[in-house]
Amino acid sequence: MTTPTNETTSAEEKYRLALDYHAHGRAGKVEITPTKPTMTARDLSLAYSPGVAAPCLEIAKTPDDVYKYTAKGNLVAVLSNGTAVLGLGDIGPLAGKPVMEGKGVLFKRFADIDVFDIEINNRSVEDIVRTVKSLEPTFGGINLEDIKAPECFEVETQLQEIMDIPIFHDDQHGTAIIGGAAFLNACEITNRDISKVRVVVSGAGAAAIATANFLLELGVKRENVLMADSKGVIYKGRTDGMNKYKDAFANETKCRTLADALVNADALIGCSAKGLVSKEMVKTMAKDPIIFAMANPDPEITPEEVAQVRSDAIMATGRSDYANQVNNVLCFPFLFRGALDVRARKINEEMKKAAAMALAKLAKEEVPEDVKRAYGNENFSFGRNYLIPKPFDKRVLTWVAPAVAKAAMDSGVARMPIEDLNAYAKSLQERLGQVGSIMRNIRSRLPGAGKAEKPRIVFPEGTNARILKAVSILRDEGLIQPILLGNKKIIHRKMDELGVSNLKDLEIIYPEDNANYETFVKDYFTQRQRKGVSYSFAKDTMKRGNYFGSMMVKTGNADGMITGATQNYPECIRPIMKVIGTNSPGRAKVAGIMMLVFKQRVVFLADCTVQMNPDAHDLADIALSAAQMYRNVMQAEPRVAFLSYSNFGSNRDPQAAKMAEAVKIAKAKDPTLIADGEMQADVAVNADIMKNLFEFCSLDKAADVLIFPDLGSANISYKLLAQLGGATSIGPILLPLKYAINIVQRTSTVDEIVNMSHLTALISQEIKAHRAQKHS
């Protein structure tokens, strides 16, 4: 008996892990989730009999109302007969079901499209077409999957002719679109004229033929394409193993083998099988060869093998462990999103080309930090190793779907045109969560671009890369006037490294050289001289960014400050508290409020970062601050719940009594406040539980603001909800301060820093308005 190698053991382990993943807990990868409440008898009477009759009658009168009253417009069928599953071949519809479920997960995860996976036993073209056509009333689109060639070509062609909804065979066109986008950029990088590029295609199945056809759409000349299948090069006059789809690529050539065809070829498109291309073949290719070895799970030739014989090659594969992965998830969710949203009758060549062009263009944009983080903080930039965007780049949705929608409208297949594509692109962000909508609302309330009275926000960590990238975005938006602290030469050098040339004329302050430095030192010394601060210590202290920045805000030289990208929370808040000063008699203590943005709701949690064990008076002040913040941000009146392990006096422990007392104090200070407690968390966030068990509760809906009894429970809760509950956290927001100063987390992405900057600018405006009102 032989001992397994590490490679074998690793493969076995991966196999077992994959089985465990699919079998653990609830079997499979998908479930059906209702989108309407079904908690009461009334709900059920509306969801089904007798209420469901109303939409049925309306649809019977006006068939297009099916898009208004049902999920059809956002529902896609992933349909397969299992005859060509991944690299597994003809394993049948039952064995192919896990793949179809997985495809549904990707549709939902990346484009919020609902999917039913449908596996059919039909094998003939006629039977497949008949089955799929019968499903037309149910779905807004059909994604054909893993149907073998040549049947897949005929099935798609016939269905496109007889059906009035988008039909798309991803194995063909998904690979073609992604590969086409990468090919366009590879030609640009190697300074090639696409009309003169000589292309060899290894393989003559669905993906290979579709990709070859798509390259023709992009500008490659048919006479410059040689295709090879398992029997060799497809040439004029060949009869063995031919069909009409291969015939279209039969050229006049003396080449009979793949090796013959690759001599002096500019590009290789591989959609065939592992190991079909040798290093010797690659040696014979033209200068700067473009090699897309896309066979799965193993390519025709690996990048390591190519690197041994060519240093000038540009490579792409279908694998995630190599650069330039041609991954179909970059296409089908977003292509269908655009098609569904304009209610397209079909997916045509114009829409496919628009998707490829959008992807090719997006690859030239700067890559966001959260994408880099998803790939181990690898630094991506347009070039030989980055031809196409990464699947986790959230911008793919907002670039590809609008491009597809526009192409559908321009080509006349859209039934529901979109008037404002920019607004549409922004709305797409909201499909995956409310953060985009909330932040857009905040931005809309800041002064318009070009106006003089922009909030001035100071950033003490002026040399940090994430800060500079965020400031670059803010500068381009024109809603905020950023100020950087630090050494000007170092910051400019960093700007050059990052390519943020739009910041060169930005105001940069080196504290010691600033005209306000001595004044700030004196003010700080006067303020802290009886708290152990000498004048020389004050001079050293004011050289530090967080102290100088806080003093700028306090003295009106800036409207707000953002810090925390490079320092832990205590290191940031200590200077702020010392400069601003918050514990004067009659003033509420500062608290840290977190916004948690779920897909369907927004909840504020407090205090998550500052007060360890606040008493009832502190809790009341925290609630009032959080409620006011909710009004400012959400422009709505909040419901406030004071949380405990006790419900309305069910436990007399001092911790529970403290929360009940805090409710009374808060309402006495603000009689308009809609608040109640003490109550358990499930009661606070579920209106049905609240009203069924505690109908006397003064909240008329689920709570928007949750007040915790101590910092530990609040901090643990917000982090658990962010990690396990799918919430996006914004904060902590420090309140109440006389000035707009906030601390981002050290792990914050560029987008999160931008969001906090907008929020801080809005807070600064509110503070200014409050002061003006007070003095008038």
Side-chain angles (χ1 to χ4, degrees), residues 544 546-547 563-564 566-578 609-610 612 711 715 719 732 734 743-746:
R544 294 156 65 181
N546 282 335
Y547 284 91
T563 186
T566 62
Q567 304 161 81
N568 64 39
Y569 196 83
E571 288 173 341
C572 294
I573 198 167
R574 195 175 298 115
I576 295 168
M577 295 297 100
K578 287 181 178 179
T609 59
V610 182
M612 189 65 67
L711 185 146
N715 190 276
K719 290 188 175 179
L734 294 177
I743 303 169
V744 298
Q745 300 176 73
R746 281 189 292 179

mmCIF file of all heavy atoms in Angstrom, residues 544 546-547 563-564 566-578 609-610 612 711 715 719 732 734 743-746:
data_model
loop_
_atom_site.group_PDB
_atom_site.id
_atom_site.type_symbol
_atom_site.label_atom_id
_atom_site.label_comp_id
_atom_site.label_asym_id
_atom_site.label_seq_id
_atom_site.Cartn_x
_atom_site.Cartn_y
_atom_site.Cartn_z
ATOM 1 N N ARG A 544 1.639 67.331 18.013
ATOM 2 C CA ARG A 544 0.990 66.075 17.629
ATOM 3 C C ARG A 544 -0.344 66.357 16.928
ATOM 4 O O ARG A 544 -1.124 67.216 17.342
ATOM 5 C CB ARG A 544 0.796 65.202 18.868
ATOM 6 C CG ARG A 544 2.134 64.755 19.449
ATOM 7 C CD ARG A 544 2.055 64.407 20.910
ATOM 8 N NE ARG A 544 1.200 63.241 21.165
ATOM 9 C CZ ARG A 544 0.960 62.767 22.382
ATOM 10 N NH1 ARG A 544 1.488 63.353 23.448
ATOM 11 N NH2 ARG A 544 0.188 61.715 22.529
ATOM 12 N N ASN A 546 -3.352 64.975 16.530
ATOM 13 C CA ASN A 546 -4.687 64.945 17.131
ATOM 14 C C ASN A 546 -4.929 66.140 18.054
ATOM 15 O O ASN A 546 -6.056 66.631 18.154
ATOM 16 C CB ASN A 546 -4.891 63.642 17.906
ATOM 17 C CG ASN A 546 -5.184 62.473 16.982
ATOM 18 O OD1 ASN A 546 -5.681 62.662 15.873
ATOM 19 N ND2 ASN A 546 -4.857 61.273 17.416
ATOM 20 N N TYR A 547 -3.882 66.598 18.731
ATOM 21 C CA TYR A 547 -4.021 67.778 19.596
ATOM 22 C C TYR A 547 -4.173 69.047 18.746
ATOM 23 O O TYR A 547 -5.049 69.872 18.989
ATOM 24 C CB TYR A 547 -2.799 67.910 20.515
ATOM 25 C CG TYR A 547 -2.805 66.941 21.664
ATOM 26 C CD1 TYR A 547 -2.205 65.695 21.552
ATOM 27 C CD2 TYR A 547 -3.411 67.265 22.877
ATOM 28 C CE1 TYR A 547 -2.209 64.797 22.600
ATOM 29 C CE2 TYR A 547 -3.415 66.377 23.943
ATOM 30 C CZ TYR A 547 -2.818 65.137 23.798
ATOM 31 O OH TYR A 547 -2.832 64.244 24.847
ATOM 32 N N THR A 563 -10.009 61.288 12.516
ATOM 33 C CA THR A 563 -8.752 60.656 12.897
ATOM 34 C C THR A 563 -9.013 59.183 13.187
ATOM 35 O O THR A 563 -10.153 58.744 13.179
ATOM 36 C CB THR A 563 -8.127 61.363 14.120
ATOM 37 O OG1 THR A 563 -6.835 60.806 14.367
ATOM 38 C CG2 THR A 563 -8.994 61.201 15.354
ATOM 39 N N GLY A 564 -7.931 58.426 13.433
ATOM 40 C CA GLY A 564 -8.086 57.031 13.842
ATOM 41 C C GLY A 564 -7.589 55.991 12.859
ATOM 42 O O GLY A 564 -7.550 54.807 13.176
ATOM 43 N N THR A 566 -4.684 55.303 11.854
ATOM 44 C CA THR A 566 -3.397 54.673 12.192
ATOM 45 C C THR A 566 -3.217 54.451 13.692
ATOM 46 O O THR A 566 -2.180 53.950 14.111
ATOM 47 C CB THR A 566 -2.228 55.541 11.690
ATOM 48 O OG1 THR A 566 -2.265 56.816 12.358
ATOM 49 C CG2 THR A 566 -2.318 55.760 10.189
ATOM 50 N N GLN A 567 -4.205 54.832 14.502
ATOM 51 C CA GLN A 567 -4.037 54.765 15.959
ATOM 52 C C GLN A 567 -5.222 54.059 16.599
ATOM 53 O O GLN A 567 -6.323 54.058 16.037
ATOM 54 C CB GLN A 567 -3.933 56.183 16.528
ATOM 55 C CG GLN A 567 -2.820 57.011 15.905
ATOM 56 C CD GLN A 567 -3.037 58.502 16.132
ATOM 57 O OE1 GLN A 567 -2.726 59.003 17.201
ATOM 58 N NE2 GLN A 567 -3.581 59.193 15.159
ATOM 59 N N ASN A 568 -4.990 53.496 17.783
ATOM 60 C CA ASN A 568 -6.118 52.850 18.451
ATOM 61 C C ASN A 568 -7.027 53.894 19.086
ATOM 62 O O ASN A 568 -6.672 55.065 19.222
ATOM 63 C CB ASN A 568 -5.643 51.805 19.471
ATOM 64 C CG ASN A 568 -4.847 52.409 20.612
ATOM 65 O OD1 ASN A 568 -5.162 53.487 21.114
ATOM 66 N ND2 ASN A 568 -3.796 51.719 21.039
ATOM 67 N N TYR A 569 -8.202 53.457 19.474
ATOM 68 C CA TYR A 569 -9.247 54.383 19.924
ATOM 69 C C TYR A 569 -8.830 55.237 21.125
ATOM 70 O O TYR A 569 -9.006 56.464 21.094
ATOM 71 C CB TYR A 569 -10.515 53.581 20.230
ATOM 72 C CG TYR A 569 -11.761 54.422 20.334
ATOM 73 C CD1 TYR A 569 -12.465 54.803 19.192
ATOM 74 C CD2 TYR A 569 -12.234 54.843 21.569
ATOM 75 C CE1 TYR A 569 -13.608 55.576 19.281
ATOM 76 C CE2 TYR A 569 -13.381 55.616 21.669
ATOM 77 C CZ TYR A 569 -14.060 55.975 20.514
ATOM 78 O OH TYR A 569 -15.185 56.749 20.604
ATOM 79 N N PRO A 570 -8.268 54.650 22.188
ATOM 80 C CA PRO A 570 -7.872 55.482 23.335
ATOM 81 C C PRO A 570 -6.862 56.565 22.974
ATOM 82 O O PRO A 570 -6.923 57.678 23.493
ATOM 83 C CB PRO A 570 -7.266 54.459 24.312
ATOM 84 C CG PRO A 570 -7.910 53.163 23.950
ATOM 85 C CD PRO A 570 -8.079 53.210 22.466
ATOM 86 N N GLU A 571 -5.925 56.249 22.068
ATOM 87 C CA GLU A 571 -4.927 57.236 21.668
ATOM 88 C C GLU A 571 -5.558 58.418 20.943
ATOM 89 O O GLU A 571 -5.026 59.528 20.953
ATOM 90 C CB GLU A 571 -3.889 56.583 20.743
ATOM 91 C CG GLU A 571 -2.948 55.617 21.455
ATOM 92 C CD GLU A 571 -2.059 54.876 20.473
ATOM 93 O OE1 GLU A 571 -2.401 54.838 19.270
ATOM 94 O OE2 GLU A 571 -1.035 54.336 20.897
ATOM 95 N N CYS A 572 -6.707 58.168 20.307
ATOM 96 C CA CYS A 572 -7.391 59.237 19.576
ATOM 97 C C CYS A 572 -8.309 60.057 20.472
ATOM 98 O O CYS A 572 -8.337 61.288 20.392
ATOM 99 C CB CYS A 572 -8.208 58.640 18.429
ATOM 100 S SG CYS A 572 -7.224 57.864 17.145
ATOM 101 N N ILE A 573 -9.051 59.369 21.324
ATOM 102 C CA ILE A 573 -10.070 60.093 22.092
ATOM 103 C C ILE A 573 -9.463 60.902 23.230
ATOM 104 O O ILE A 573 -9.998 61.951 23.620
ATOM 105 C CB ILE A 573 -11.156 59.125 22.621
ATOM 106 C CG1 ILE A 573 -12.393 59.944 23.005
ATOM 107 C CG2 ILE A 573 -10.657 58.260 23.756
ATOM 108 C CD1 ILE A 573 -13.626 59.116 23.233
ATOM 109 N N ARG A 574 -8.329 60.459 23.751
ATOM 110 C CA ARG A 574 -7.714 61.173 24.867
ATOM 111 C C ARG A 574 -7.365 62.622 24.497
ATOM 112 O O ARG A 574 -7.736 63.556 25.228
ATOM 113 C CB ARG A 574 -6.467 60.405 25.338
ATOM 114 C CG ARG A 574 -5.962 60.839 26.710
ATOM 115 C CD ARG A 574 -4.804 59.965 27.160
ATOM 116 N NE ARG A 574 -5.191 58.563 27.295
ATOM 117 C CZ ARG A 574 -4.699 57.566 26.544
ATOM 118 N NH1 ARG A 574 -3.792 57.819 25.618
ATOM 119 N NH2 ARG A 574 -5.101 56.336 26.742
ATOM 120 N N PRO A 575 -6.658 62.882 23.379
ATOM 121 C CA PRO A 575 -6.376 64.272 22.999
ATOM 122 C C PRO A 575 -7.639 65.088 22.758
ATOM 123 O O PRO A 575 -7.701 66.273 23.118
ATOM 124 C CB PRO A 575 -5.570 64.124 21.704
ATOM 125 C CG PRO A 575 -5.014 62.753 21.744
ATOM 126 C CD PRO A 575 -6.015 61.925 22.459
ATOM 127 N N ILE A 576 -8.648 64.461 22.150
ATOM 128 C CA ILE A 576 -9.893 65.175 21.866
ATOM 129 C C ILE A 576 -10.535 65.644 23.167
ATOM 130 O O ILE A 576 -10.948 66.806 23.298
ATOM 131 C CB ILE A 576 -10.855 64.266 21.072
ATOM 132 C CG1 ILE A 576 -10.265 63.951 19.698
ATOM 133 C CG2 ILE A 576 -12.221 64.927 20.925
ATOM 134 C CD1 ILE A 576 -10.982 62.842 18.955
ATOM 135 N N MET A 577 -10.615 64.730 24.137
ATOM 136 C CA MET A 577 -11.240 65.075 25.413
ATOM 137 C C MET A 577 -10.453 66.164 26.138
ATOM 138 O O MET A 577 -11.026 67.059 26.761
ATOM 139 C CB MET A 577 -11.349 63.832 26.306
ATOM 140 C CG MET A 577 -12.260 62.734 25.783
ATOM 141 S SD MET A 577 -13.992 63.239 25.634
ATOM 142 C CE MET A 577 -14.102 63.581 23.883
ATOM 143 N N LYS A 578 -9.136 66.092 26.053
ATOM 144 C CA LYS A 578 -8.310 67.074 26.761
ATOM 145 C C LYS A 578 -8.428 68.468 26.131
ATOM 146 O O LYS A 578 -8.442 69.475 26.839
ATOM 147 C CB LYS A 578 -6.850 66.634 26.764
ATOM 148 C CG LYS A 578 -6.572 65.457 27.702
ATOM 149 C CD LYS A 578 -5.104 65.068 27.683
ATOM 150 C CE LYS A 578 -4.829 63.934 28.660
ATOM 151 N NZ LYS A 578 -3.411 63.508 28.642
ATOM 152 N N THR A 609 -18.568 52.993 22.861
ATOM 153 C CA THR A 609 -17.113 53.188 22.877
ATOM 154 C C THR A 609 -16.546 54.024 24.024
ATOM 155 O O THR A 609 -15.337 54.062 24.193
ATOM 156 C CB THR A 609 -16.668 53.857 21.556
ATOM 157 O OG1 THR A 609 -17.339 55.113 21.419
ATOM 158 C CG2 THR A 609 -16.967 52.979 20.362
ATOM 159 N N VAL A 610 -17.371 54.710 24.813
ATOM 160 C CA VAL A 610 -16.781 55.684 25.753
ATOM 161 C C VAL A 610 -17.081 55.362 27.216
ATOM 162 O O VAL A 610 -16.176 55.041 27.986
ATOM 163 C CB VAL A 610 -17.245 57.121 25.414
ATOM 164 C CG1 VAL A 610 -16.582 58.122 26.358
ATOM 165 C CG2 VAL A 610 -16.906 57.475 23.961
ATOM 166 N N MET A 612 -18.017 53.490 30.439
ATOM 167 C CA MET A 612 -17.943 52.094 30.841
ATOM 168 C C MET A 612 -19.225 51.606 31.503
ATOM 169 O O MET A 612 -19.792 50.582 31.132
ATOM 170 C CB MET A 612 -16.751 51.885 31.799
ATOM 171 C CG MET A 612 -16.461 50.424 32.098
ATOM 172 S SD MET A 612 -15.913 49.498 30.644
ATOM 173 C CE MET A 612 -14.331 50.283 30.335
ATOM 174 N N LEU A 711 -21.011 49.721 28.501
ATOM 175 C CA LEU A 711 -20.202 49.735 27.287
ATOM 176 C C LEU A 711 -19.943 48.325 26.774
ATOM 177 O O LEU A 711 -19.959 48.077 25.565
ATOM 178 C CB LEU A 711 -18.880 50.463 27.551
ATOM 179 C CG LEU A 711 -17.958 50.683 26.336
ATOM 180 C CD1 LEU A 711 -17.224 52.005 26.483
ATOM 181 C CD2 LEU A 711 -16.947 49.554 26.190
ATOM 182 N N ASN A 715 -20.752 47.342 22.956
ATOM 183 C CA ASN A 715 -19.630 47.105 22.045
ATOM 184 C C ASN A 715 -19.678 45.699 21.463
ATOM 185 O O ASN A 715 -19.494 45.492 20.259
ATOM 186 C CB ASN A 715 -18.313 47.349 22.785
ATOM 187 C CG ASN A 715 -17.115 47.353 21.846
ATOM 188 O OD1 ASN A 715 -16.583 46.312 21.525
ATOM 189 N ND2 ASN A 715 -16.722 48.541 21.417
ATOM 190 N N LYS A 719 -20.506 44.729 17.316
ATOM 191 C CA LYS A 719 -19.518 43.970 16.541
ATOM 192 C C LYS A 719 -20.073 42.616 16.101
ATOM 193 O O LYS A 719 -19.798 42.161 14.985
ATOM 194 C CB LYS A 719 -18.235 43.803 17.348
ATOM 195 C CG LYS A 719 -17.487 45.128 17.500
ATOM 196 C CD LYS A 719 -16.122 44.992 18.117
ATOM 197 C CE LYS A 719 -15.415 46.349 18.120
ATOM 198 N NZ LYS A 719 -14.078 46.296 18.725
ATOM 199 N N PRO A 732 -17.610 54.926 15.239
ATOM 200 C CA PRO A 732 -18.503 55.566 16.204
ATOM 201 C C PRO A 732 -18.603 57.080 15.998
ATOM 202 O O PRO A 732 -17.649 57.729 15.592
ATOM 203 C CB PRO A 732 -17.832 55.266 17.549
ATOM 204 C CG PRO A 732 -16.378 55.101 17.206
ATOM 205 C CD PRO A 732 -16.335 54.498 15.845
ATOM 206 N N LEU A 734 -19.153 60.516 17.849
ATOM 207 C CA LEU A 734 -18.997 61.058 19.203
ATOM 208 C C LEU A 734 -20.008 62.172 19.451
ATOM 209 O O LEU A 734 -20.031 63.175 18.742
ATOM 210 C CB LEU A 734 -17.576 61.592 19.398
ATOM 211 C CG LEU A 734 -16.457 60.544 19.371
ATOM 212 C CD1 LEU A 734 -15.099 61.208 19.514
ATOM 213 C CD2 LEU A 734 -16.652 59.509 20.476
ATOM 214 N N ILE A 743 -13.860 59.579 15.143
ATOM 215 C CA ILE A 743 -12.742 58.633 15.077
ATOM 216 C C ILE A 743 -13.156 57.442 14.216
ATOM 217 O O ILE A 743 -14.124 56.755 14.543
ATOM 218 C CB ILE A 743 -12.361 58.138 16.490
ATOM 219 C CG1 ILE A 743 -12.014 59.329 17.396
ATOM 220 C CG2 ILE A 743 -11.197 57.151 16.423
ATOM 221 C CD1 ILE A 743 -11.883 58.959 18.865
ATOM 222 N N VAL A 744 -12.441 57.224 13.125
ATOM 223 C CA VAL A 744 -12.690 56.026 12.323
ATOM 224 C C VAL A 744 -11.907 54.870 12.937
ATOM 225 O O VAL A 744 -10.977 55.065 13.720
ATOM 226 C CB VAL A 744 -12.282 56.221 10.844
ATOM 227 C CG1 VAL A 744 -13.103 57.324 10.198
ATOM 228 C CG2 VAL A 744 -10.792 56.500 10.712
ATOM 229 N N GLN A 745 -12.271 53.663 12.573
ATOM 230 C CA GLN A 745 -11.562 52.501 13.075
ATOM 231 C C GLN A 745 -10.316 52.248 12.242
ATOM 232 O O GLN A 745 -10.258 52.593 11.061
ATOM 233 C CB GLN A 745 -12.486 51.280 13.043
ATOM 234 C CG GLN A 745 -13.726 51.497 13.909
ATOM 235 C CD GLN A 745 -14.702 50.349 13.823
ATOM 236 O OE1 GLN A 745 -14.467 49.274 14.361
ATOM 237 N NE2 GLN A 745 -15.810 50.572 13.149
ATOM 238 N N ARG A 746 -9.305 51.631 12.870
ATOM 239 C CA ARG A 746 -8.052 51.398 12.150
ATOM 240 C C ARG A 746 -8.238 50.500 10.935
ATOM 241 O O ARG A 746 -7.439 50.526 10.005
ATOM 242 C CB ARG A 746 -7.005 50.794 13.093
ATOM 243 C CG ARG A 746 -6.357 51.815 14.000
ATOM 244 C CD ARG A 746 -5.186 51.237 14.745
ATOM 245 N NE ARG A 746 -5.599 50.236 15.718
ATOM 246 C CZ ARG A 746 -4.759 49.557 16.491
ATOM 247 N NH1 ARG A 746 -3.456 49.771 16.385
ATOM 248 N NH2 ARG A 746 -5.202 48.680 17.365
#
